Amino acid sequence: MNKLQGKIILVVDDEELLREVLNEFFTLEGATVIEAGNGSDGFLMLQQNKVDIIISDLRMPNGDGLSLLQNIKTSLNYKPHIFLYSGHADTMSESSAQALGADGYFIKPFSVRNLVDVLAKYN
């Protein structure tokens, strides 16, 4: 069964390899995936494409995950589900990410299969 069937997901990360891995997993689960290399490009993609879910790195040059989250909250005319992640455990907690408006927060390295299971719960 394709857990992400019909979902449109935006993956935002400055690491191309991680974007490709997430794209492949999400696509195999039935999602349509769009990629951006930073928060600024990610926001431009959101203005051109309506997505269901955003999964974004927290720390990136040229627009980090928090600025992307703020831009979505203040300037986007729809509200996709937003998940942030970071390789720096001390950067943020899940509760602080949720207080800022994210639906969830993951610390790298994370299980992509677990991530798919979490994303599948959101319509």
Side-chain angles (χ1 to χ4, degrees), residues 41-98:
D41 289 348
F43 191 68
L44 290 174
M45 297 298 289
L46 290 171
Q47 293 171 316
Q48 300 166 11
N49 304 277
K50 188 171 183 183
V51 305
D52 302 303
I53 298 171
I54 300 160
I55 178 83
S56 177
D57 193 4
L58 193 58
R59 292 186 181 177
M60 295 173 287
N62 302 319
D64 63 16
L66 286 180
S67 62
L68 176 61
L69 180 62
Q70 290 302 325
N71 285 337
I72 289 166
K73 286 172 56 176
T74 60
S75 304
L76 202 61
N77 60 5
Y78 70 98
K79 301 296 179 219
H81 296 286
I82 305 163
F83 295 86
L84 299 172
Y85 60 85
S86 177
H88 307 276
D90 62 337
T91 304
M92 180 176 291
S93 68
E94 183 161 11
S95 60
S96 59
Q98 289 172 334

Side-chain angles (χ1 to χ4, degrees), residues 25-41:
F25 267 90
F26 297 161
T27 300
L28 287 172
E29 290 292 341
T32 300
V33 181
I34 301 167
E35 296 180 29
N38 59 56
S40 297
D41 289 348

